[in-house]
Amino acid sequence: MTTTSPGRTPRERARAELTREIKDAARRQLAHHGAAGLSMRAIANDVGLLSASALYRYFPGRDALLTALIVDGYAAMGEAAEAAEALVHTKTVMARWLAICHGVRAWSLANPHEYGLIFGSPIPGYVAPGDTVASAARVPVLLTALLEDLAAIGFDARNHGAPPAAVRRAMRPVLALAPSDLPSDLVIAGFMAWTYLVGALSLEVFGHRDAMHDDATAYFDYEMRRIATNLGLAGQPVPTPNTRR
Amino acid sequence: MTTTSPGRTPRERARAELTREIKDAARRQLAHHGAAGLSMRAIANDVGLLSASALYRYFPGRDALLTALIVDGYAAMGEAAEAAEALVHTKTVMARWLAICHGVRAWSLANPHEYGLIFGSPIPGYVAPGDTVASAARVPVLLTALLEDLAAIGFDARNHGAPPAAVRRAMRPVLALAPSDLPSDLVIAGFMAWTYLVGALSLEVFGHRDAMHDDATAYFDYEMRRIATNLGLAGQPVPTPNTRR
DNA sequence: TGTACATCAGTGAACGCGCGTTCACTGATGTAC
DNA sequence: TGTACATCAGTGAACGCGCGTTCACTGATGTAC
């Protein structure tokens, strides 16, 4: 795997490189005009093509280009999470969870418009093809591995109030996606941790936390640590739900 | 307060009514073409005006119209939350929390594009004026009232591990916004509950939970109940963060 | 109550601009013999 | 090694369309005396 690896003939190498440049230009456009304002003409101009129609040699249309950006975005976010986790892979589950959170956050803050492409308002008129699903699941897959390791060290539903049967029934499709040996409570806790992570990122990336913290990273670290602990993902028992008045 | 209340002269009443119709048409547009595709010409056409320039009698420009939609969106979401909470105002804090969650969720699912306007990707080139801030805070204000009632019934940080000094320092601005008699741990727990709510709504409204649940409402009820319990907002002690390995 | 004037709502043409996509084409790169 | 042909990259004109905003204007509604 060399730096100039892909493509045998010069033509193929040039094609791969220009494809990359087109996507880079599109990503730059995204920042200034948003997904809806992505312009084929402006992109062509950016990469030095004299005519927008030349882009149709590389992407069959605007929507295909958008799809490529979305798939790339999911992949980049997934890679950021995997790379961060790999550095602490032999440490505690909590350390790995925090690494994933910080990795995803760093990527999201560095690429807010790609984050918006993924977790922001859907682009009207655009329908994501099936291709996106596989790359979309990378972070959830990473989290599932964490849950499996938790289960492997004997951490199962015995510490938790198992979710009511009605809830297990309600989330049957999710439970079917997870490995069958994972206790349902662990799946739910993981799902909730993921939900919290997306909430924290969306609020921060989209500007709803502006001027709310003197040290946003420190607060993020605390909330992620606490959410994992409180959800029972750190080896702490969690009380069964009932209210006191 | 009658149904045809606002405006003294017929002209003023007509003006108020058409202003409302313009915003309604704009909201309908939002659904089909997104915020970036909001077209003055199409809106004028929708409300029966022969010329787009007539809209400038009602809004100084497209951005002002967008701002009105955003302010209205925050207000509508706030009203939905308040109305739902009012129905159970004398019940437990948990019941009130759940009412707020379900109220906000019902509104968000019924008005996904307005939700997107608020919590989705920011509109490029658009900067929200200060007017939006007050209406944006309605749900957080409602949640703060809940926290105060929790504090009033003697529910304070004594049950919790108080957050480390570094974290309290990191979130100084948020603590300054909250009533000064609220224990900092309660503020953080409320802030986290709000973060979770936004995460759950964004995932569901933006389609990331499609086909994940047989009964999305039942699951939502469970997760919201559990997040409040686990964060220690239901009268349960929460273990202090520390990992077991 | 009636008149003169000011305010306001809505019109339609115009400005200057940008858009995605198609199509027939030129010239360069690659392939088969 | 050299030639004939196929494939591919990029061009530029054209199609048909829509955009926000401005401006001078007409006619209706409201106000002051």
Side-chain angles (χ1 to χ4, degrees), chain B residues 102-114:
Chain B
H102 282 286
V104 171
R105 173 170 177 263
W107 179 86
S108 301
L109 291 177
N111 304 277
H113 300 94
E114 286 179 270

Side-chain angles (χ1 to χ4, degrees), chain A residues 149-219:
Chain A
D149 289 353
L150 263 182
I153 61 174
F155 187 88
D156 64 22
R158 107 189 102 78
N159 277 331
H160 303 67
V167 170
R168 284 206 308 279
R169 233 180 294 117
M171 66 182 308
R172 194 180 45 77
V174 163
L175 293 173
L177 286 175
S180 57
D181 57 329
L182 274 186
S184 62
D185 184 73
L186 219 43
V187 175
I188 293 180
F191 201 77
M192 289 183 70
W194 169 241
T195 298
Y196 188 90
L197 175 56
V198 171
L201 293 177
S202 286
L203 284 174
E204 185 172 7
V205 173
F206 296 156
H208 296 279
R209 282 187 173 184
D210 286 358
M212 289 268 184
H213 303 284
D214 282 340
D215 185 342
T217 303
Y219 177 71

Side-chain angles (χ1 to χ4, degrees), chain A:
Chain A
M1 207 197 277
T2 70
T3 45
T4 55
S5 64
R8 294 152 291 271
T9 72
R11 188 180 257 177
E12 273 170 334
R13 262 185 285 116
R15 181 179 182 81
E17 193 175 330
L18 191 46
T19 303
R20 201 165 27 74
E21 277 175 32
I22 289 168
K23 290 194 289 188
D24 286 345
R27 272 184 277 266
R28 258 175 276 129
Q29 281 255 329
L30 215 56
H32 290 106
H33 309 100
L38 219 160
S39 154
M40 300 294 272
R41 285 176 146 94
I43 293 166
N45 203 61
D46 251 37
V47 297
L49 289 168
L50 299 183
S51 166
S53 53
L55 292 179
Y56 286 76
R57 296 263 169 218
Y58 296 85
F59 296 94
R62 216 187 74 114
D63 272 14
L65 178 51
L66 255 178
T67 299
L69 293 186
I70 292 172
V71 171
D72 281 10
Y74 274 122
M77 175 184 269
E79 265 163 41
E82 287 161 14
E85 197 272 344
L87 294 178
V88 296
H89 189 69
T90 57
K91 301 253 171 68
T92 61
V93 169
M94 177 62 95
R96 290 160 67 195
W97 157 250
L98 289 176
I100 293 171
C101 291
H102 282 286
V104 170
R105 173 170 178 265
W107 179 86
S108 302
L109 290 177
N111 304 277
H113 300 94
E114 285 179 89
Y115 178 87
L117 216 49
I118 298 176
F119 288 111
S121 345
I123 301 145
Y126 172 83
V127 280
D131 325 4
T132 57
V133 181
S135 66
R138 266 171 89 164
V139 176
V141 161
L142 200 55
L143 292 178
T144 304
L146 270 198
L147 296 178
E148 289 199 276
D149 289 353
L150 263 182
I153 61 174
F155 187 88
D156 64 22
R158 107 189 102 78
N159 277 331
H160 303 67
V167 170
R168 284 206 308 279
R169 233 180 294 117
M171 66 182 308
R172 194 180 45 77
V174 163
L175 293 173
L177 286 175
S180 57
D181 57 329
L182 274 186
S184 62
D185 184 73
L186 219 43
V187 175
I188 293 180
F191 201 77
M192 289 183 70
W194 169 241
T195 298
Y196 188 90
L197 175 56
V198 171
L201 293 177
S202 286
L203 284 174
E204 185 172 7
V205 173
F206 296 156
H208 296 279
R209 282 187 173 184
D210 286 358
M212 289 268 184
H213 303 284
D214 282 340
D215 185 342
T217 303
Y219 177 71
F220 179 79
D221 188 81
Y222 175 76
E223 66 182 334
M224 288 306 158
R225 197 181 290 274
R226 177 161 170 181
I227 201 72
T229 304
N230 287 11
L231 284 171
L233 291 174
Q236 296 295 332
V238 166
T240 49
N242 65 344
T243 57
R244 165 185 94 171
R245 174 51 219 253

Side-chain angles (χ1 to χ4, degrees), chain B residues 88-176:
Chain B
V88 296
H89 189 68
T90 57
K91 301 255 171 66
T92 62
V93 169
M94 176 62 94
R96 290 160 67 195
W97 158 250
L98 289 176
I100 293 171
C101 291
H102 282 286
V104 171
R105 173 170 177 263
W107 179 86
S108 301
L109 291 177
N111 304 277
H113 300 94
E114 286 179 270
Y115 179 87
L117 216 49
I118 298 175
F119 288 110
S121 346
I123 300 145
Y126 171 83
V127 280
D131 326 3
T132 56
V133 181
S135 65
R138 267 172 88 163
V139 177
V141 162
L142 200 55
L143 292 177
T144 304
L146 271 198
L147 297 178
E148 289 199 275
D149 289 352
L150 263 181
I153 61 174
F155 187 89
D156 65 21
R158 106 188 100 79
N159 279 329
H160 302 68
V167 170
R168 283 206 307 280
R169 234 180 293 118
M171 65 183 307
R172 194 181 46 77
V174 163
L175 293 174

Side-chain angles (χ1 to χ4, degrees), chain B residues 47-112:
Chain B
V47 296
L49 289 169
L50 298 183
S51 167
S53 52
L55 293 179
Y56 287 76
R57 296 263 168 217
Y58 296 86
F59 295 93
R62 216 188 73 114
D63 272 15
L65 178 51
L66 255 179
T67 298
L69 293 185
I70 292 172
V71 170
D72 281 10
Y74 274 121
M77 175 185 269
E79 265 163 41
E82 286 161 14
E85 197 270 346
L87 294 178
V88 296
H89 189 68
T90 57
K91 301 255 171 66
T92 62
V93 169
M94 176 62 94
R96 290 160 67 195
W97 158 250
L98 289 176
I100 293 171
C101 291
H102 282 286
V104 171
R105 173 170 177 263
W107 179 86
S108 301
L109 291 177
N111 304 277

